[in-house]
Amino acid sequence: MTYIIPDLDIDISQKSREDMLEKLHHIPASKINEKGIFPHGVGIYMCDIPQDRISGLASIDYKHAEEDLGYIKIDFLHNTVYDDFNSRNEIIDSLNKEPNWGLLYKKEIVEKLPHINNYYTLLNQLPLIDSVEKLAMFIAIIRPGKKYLIDDVLKNGWESIIDKIWLKENNGYQYKKSHAIAYALSIIVAMSKFN
């Protein structure tokens, strides 16, 4: 029998993250190597997983726990995008407006955007990004397992990778469209501060 283990990411503000974690019974995920046991950073388990008594971290490396043992890790990510908004309605309003796509071609703005802040030069080499879908594809092609698609986009445009970008690679790597769309939307929310 094959089990499909969900990949769960939750993006919340830093204050909400700390408040939420205080209320949840959880065990922080760990990275374990020959040098010792270290916090994963954002991953937690909300199930009973063996726990290191000294550090309080899970006593099983997060990769082994997920891939071999079936434990489900949840990544509680701090997303500063939401810090400048006073309500959920403000965030929704920012998503309901057509983004100013030209902001992706201003270095001083791109450097302040999540996920793509180090990719201004590449953004300017590729065909125009003027939709959520193209921005999501850009987020995918800057991942190590999908960088080989950059040449296709440079030569033949975004349409040339539509049938390849979300597929699982022979080595098992896959960048999920749902993650890329969510990240693209968070970038659009961040861009709205500069309109």
Side-chain angles (χ1 to χ4, degrees), residues 154-168:
L154 284 167
K155 293 174 188 167
N156 304 306
W158 293 107
E159 294 75 22
S160 67
I161 65 167
I162 288 174
D163 294 333
K164 305 179 232 185
I165 189 72
W166 312 119
L167 296 178
K168 186 177 279 193

Side-chain angles (χ1 to χ4, degrees), residues 14 16 26 29 36-37 41 48 69 113 116 118 125-126 138 141-142 149-150 170-171:
Q14 183 65 32
S16 298
H26 71 281
I37 183 169
D48 289 327
L69 303 174
L113 296 175
I116 62 170
N118 294 321
Q125 294 170 348
L126 295 170
F138 178 75
I141 66 171
I142 61 177
L149 293 171
I150 290 173
N170 291 336
N171 63 5

Side-chain angles (χ1 to χ4, degrees), residues 103-122:
L103 295 176
L104 292 175
Y105 302 95
K106 296 185 176 184
K107 185 175 184 181
E108 67 277 9
I109 300 228
V110 172
E111 289 174 344
K112 296 174 185 169
L113 296 175
H115 310 294
I116 62 170
N117 55 329
N118 294 321
Y119 293 95
Y120 173 76
T121 302
L122 181 59

Side-chain angles (χ1 to χ4, degrees), residues 41-57:
V42 296
I44 66 165
Y45 298 99
M46 294 177 59
C47 57
D48 289 327
I49 187 171
Q51 189 173 16
D52 180 72
R53 291 179 187 221
I54 296 171
S55 68
L57 303 172

Side-chain angles (χ1 to χ4, degrees), residues 5-10 27-31 40-47 49 58 60-67 70-77:
I5 298 173
D7 187 3
L8 302 173
D9 289 354
I10 300 173
I27 297 171
S30 62
K31 297 179 181 180
H40 176 272
V42 296
I44 66 165
Y45 298 99
M46 294 177 59
C47 57
I49 187 171
I60 304 170
D61 180 77
Y62 79 99
K63 287 183 183 175
H64 176 54
E66 179 179 328
E67 295 170 7
Y71 286 102
I72 297 172
K73 176 176 62 67
I74 300 173
D75 287 343
F76 272 70
L77 305 166

